[in-house]
Amino acid sequence: AVVSTQSTGGYRKVGKDLSNRIIRWFDYLWAQNHTFEEEDVLKYLPDKLQAEMAIHVHLATLKQVELFQNCESGFLIALVLKLKHQVYSPGDYVCRKGDIGREMFIVKQGMLQVTADDGRALATLSDGSYFGEISLLNVGKNGNRRTANVRSVG
């Protein structure tokens, strides 16, 4: 993947910075043992198998989240089926203050930092942490705008 990305960078006339970010992304996926074709493979499974796979992979994560610990199993299973797996490279922003929020995030693996506008770390989030739930509620004077920057640490 790296070789073709490097040659594609020249062919597509993308800048060196973008090309290097793409290379780092694939290096990071490889190091984390994530397959980048997982969603492509899963979409060919029948709906029932996709649901069973989602429950197997994500139910334990939801049970770790304090917000969901007292919820009924049926609700958790319904919620699991709505989850979308996302991976972020170290240094990438998951969301920025002021962005419109339409989802909440649950950290399954890795670390994120909540940062001030000047880049200073305000808090660290790790496995089982969640954020973005306020955006779903659409309350307060900021509506559903993100109230903080959140960046991947790795």
Side-chain angles (χ1 to χ4, degrees):
V2 172
V3 173
S4 66
T5 302
Q6 288 175 330
S7 62
T8 302
Y11 172 74
R12 300 278 186 207
K13 307 240 187 290
V14 300
K16 188 173 182 88
D17 180 58
L18 177 58
S19 182
N20 285 336
R21 285 181 57 215
I22 292 169
I23 291 167
R24 281 195 315 271
W25 168 250
F26 283 108
D27 285 345
Y28 179 72
L29 280 178
W30 184 263
Q32 296 299 315
N33 294 319
H34 292 286
T35 61
F36 24 88
E37 295 118 14
E38 180 179 339
E39 286 185 11
D40 290 336
V41 171
L42 291 178
K43 73 181 179 185
Y44 293 108
L45 292 175
D47 291 344
K48 184 174 178 2
L49 281 179
Q50 284 183 31
E52 287 180 36
M53 182 68 167
I55 290 165
H56 177 78
V57 171
H58 299 296
L59 190 58
T61 301
L62 276 186
K63 288 181 177 179
Q64 286 181 352
V65 177
E66 184 180 346
L67 183 66
F68 301 121
Q69 285 181 350
N70 294 320
C71 293
E72 295 181 16
S73 294
F75 172 77
L76 292 178
I77 289 170
L79 190 56
V80 159
L81 298 177
K82 300 289 186 187
L83 294 179
K84 180 180 175 190
H85 185 254
Q86 296 180 341
V87 179
Y88 294 90
S89 294
D92 282 354
Y93 281 87
V94 176
C95 64
R96 293 184 185 263
K97 183 177 177 180
D99 287 351
I100 294 175
R102 293 186 176 91
E103 65 277 317
M104 72 176 283
F105 296 88
I106 300 168
V107 181
K108 180 173 182 169
Q109 178 184 356
M111 288 186 8
L112 303 173
Q113 282 185 337
V114 180
T115 61
D117 292 335
D118 63 5
R120 191 172 27 95
L122 302 173
T124 300
L125 306 173
S126 59
D127 301 6
S129 299
Y130 62 93
F131 63 97
E133 72 284 1
I134 294 171
S135 293
L136 295 178
L137 301 175
N138 197 19
V139 296
K141 65 178 182 167
N142 291 330
N144 62 351
R145 298 266 178 196
R146 299 287 183 198
T147 60
N149 301 307
V150 179
R151 185 177 56 137
S152 172
V153 177

